[in-house]
Amino acid sequence: MTSLPWLDPDQLWFPPAEEALEDPDGLLALGGDLSPERLILAYRNGIFPWFSDDQPILWWSPNPRCVLFPSDIHISRSLRRTLNQRRFHITTDQCFGRIIRLCANTRAEGTWITDDMMAAYTELHKRGIAHSIEVWNRNNELAGGMYGLAIGRCFFGESMFSLETNASKVLMVHLAHQLGEWGYQLMDCQVESDHLLTMGARSIPRAEFLSILRACVDRKPDQPDWDFSWQWPCPEVK
């Protein structure tokens, strides 16, 4: 770790993502700050922060990178039944602060979402870059949620939680279809999980991921405002 560059909070830069370590996979740099400008620069270049309260800020760019292309979303038979039952409905940006707190507090294994991280992403939300997606049950109770960043035609998923069975899967279906309709090219999932893989995510080489970012982060999506209109069912999922 001593050979990694320490970032000066007064200097806004990152080393190239290709210089990240192989072990631990993707560790690129330490230090810096969580200013909106640094976070935006990081995501645009395939880098994200991930650290604990007792660590300095750690910046990562793993290889390979887990992504979900909107057209690849997988809907199992059981999930299709849940969607047909219309047990949940989706909103966006209704309670960002509550969503990020639940993402932090519902993880049994602990969380990297420190108070400083919450403050940083809340500021990005105020600037229209970070967004929350909420899943509500029939009693209008929060059943699941997610937050992430929208930059150009790329969505960078940060964290997700589910309080009811299949709530997060319903969220993923709506998010993928809506992103596809808006012309987004991919959803960054950072690292693999069984849940993401069953939904259609896959890992691609970091070089391919960075190439997609370079082509897409400066392109405006077809819909600039985060207001979901896609509803189940629709012709492409019958």
Side-chain angles (χ1 to χ4, degrees):
M1 203 175 274
T2 55
S3 63
L4 290 169
W6 278 84
L7 304 179
D8 186 332
D10 295 326
Q11 297 180 3
L12 188 60
W13 73 283
F14 283 100
E18 294 86 350
E19 296 181 6
L21 299 180
E22 293 184 4
D23 185 20
D25 178 31
L27 184 57
L28 177 68
L30 306 89
D33 57 20
L34 295 173
S35 67
E37 292 75 19
R38 190 179 299 276
L39 285 170
I40 293 168
L41 179 64
Y43 283 94
R44 287 175 59 89
N45 287 279
I47 303 162
F48 60 88
W50 184 33
F51 61 99
S52 302
D53 261 332
D54 59 348
Q55 295 176 318
I57 301 174
L58 305 178
W59 300 93
W60 302 79
S61 184
N63 184 32
R65 188 72 163 236
C66 185
V67 302
L68 175 65
F69 296 100
S71 61
D72 287 348
I73 189 71
H74 174 70
I75 303 173
S76 66
R77 289 183 179 179
S78 61
L79 179 55
R80 189 180 299 272
R81 287 194 294 270
T82 298
L83 289 159
N84 287 337
Q85 292 167 358
R86 298 182 178 273
R87 290 166 44 198
F88 304 108
H89 66 277
I90 309 296
T91 61
T92 56
D93 292 335
Q94 295 299 299
C95 50
F96 184 89
R98 187 178 175 191
I99 293 298
I100 195 171
R101 285 192 299 273
L102 282 167
C103 284
N105 297 333
T106 57
R107 302 183 68 87
E109 69 275 20
T111 184
W112 70 95
I113 307 173
T114 65
D115 289 344
D116 288 344
M117 290 278 274
M118 289 189 198
Y121 287 88
T122 298
E123 178 59 32
L124 288 175
H125 174 62
K126 292 176 181 177
R127 298 187 182 200
I129 297 168
H131 299 277
S132 61
I133 303 101
E134 302 90 18
V135 186
W136 306 90
N137 64 21
R138 288 170 176 166
N139 296 321
N140 286 323
E141 299 165 333
L142 197 60
M146 178 187 198
Y147 76 97
L149 281 66
I151 302 177
R153 290 182 179 241
C154 299
F155 180 74
F156 302 85
E158 267 299 307
S159 186
M160 180 167 52
F161 71 93
S162 185
L163 301 178
E164 297 184 20
T165 301
N166 284 335
S168 62
K169 292 182 178 180
V170 170
L171 184 158
M172 290 286 289
V173 171
H174 282 76
L175 177 60
H177 281 278
Q178 190 64 79
L179 291 178
E181 286 191 358
W182 289 344
Y184 280 73
Q185 297 302 298
L186 65 71
M187 174 180 164
D188 175 30
C189 303
Q190 298 180 351
V191 293
E192 284 186 1
S193 72
D194 291 341
H195 172 65
L196 291 168
L197 294 177
T198 60
M199 296 299 297
R202 56 189 170 97
S203 289
I204 61 175
R206 181 172 56 213
E208 181 181 349
F209 175 71
L210 295 176
S211 177
I212 294 171
L213 292 190
R214 286 191 290 270
C216 296
V217 292
D218 289 320
R219 296 175 59 204
K220 293 183 179 179
D222 294 335
Q223 167 65 37
D225 299 322
W226 266 64
D227 186 13
F228 277 24
S229 59
W230 186 87
Q231 296 289 330
W232 175 276
C234 68
E236 61 264 38
V237 293
K238 282 183 179 177

